[in-house]
Amino acid sequence: MASTPSAADLARYLEQRGELSKPWMLQLLRLTKLKESRDAMDPQEYMEKLQEAHADLMRLGEFWKGREQEVFSCQYQPPTLIEPLPGSPEDR
């Protein structure tokens, strides 16, 4: 069975892939960090932090709608229409 990467390894991986701006990836990193610090935390504090993380994840809503392939199968395909960066000369 493969071990779970550390929070530092996960953060480095997400940064290298440019995925630190994806909210679901940030939640994964948050949960990994929480899991690592569990033994040093009071059980009540751990449960509170876990409940906060769950509530934040639920507030993301159906972020995956229209992005199912990217989110669930890791087979990302860029959109056919590439929008310019906000504030760039090409921005409308």
Side-chain angles (χ1 to χ4, degrees):
M1 182 175 173
S3 65
T4 305
S6 70
D9 290 340
L10 181 58
R12 232 179 341 273
Y13 174 78
L14 294 175
E15 183 178 30
Q16 288 172 351
R17 292 183 49 101
E19 295 187 353
L20 281 175
S21 62
K22 295 179 178 178
W24 63 93
M25 292 297 185
L26 291 175
Q27 285 298 323
L28 179 61
L29 181 58
R30 178 182 183 183
L31 290 171
T32 303
K33 290 181 85 166
L34 183 59
K35 181 180 175 184
E36 287 179 359
S37 60
R38 180 179 187 176
D39 293 337
M41 297 174 78
D42 175 67
Q44 181 64 33
E45 180 187 10
Y46 175 76
M47 282 307 296
E48 289 170 6
K49 297 285 186 186
L50 191 58
Q51 289 170 341
E52 287 174 15
H54 178 263
D56 289 343
L57 184 60
M58 293 299 103
R59 276 193 285 280
L60 287 178
E62 295 180 337
F63 67 89
W64 47 267
K65 287 276 187 176
R67 305 173 84 168
E68 291 89 343
Q69 188 176 19
E70 174 188 3
V71 175
F72 297 117
S73 69
C74 299
Q75 295 178 354
Y76 175 71
Q77 290 182 339
T80 54
L81 175 64
I82 299 182
E83 294 288 327
L85 293 173
S88 69
E90 297 83 23
D91 191 19
R92 297 178 216 135

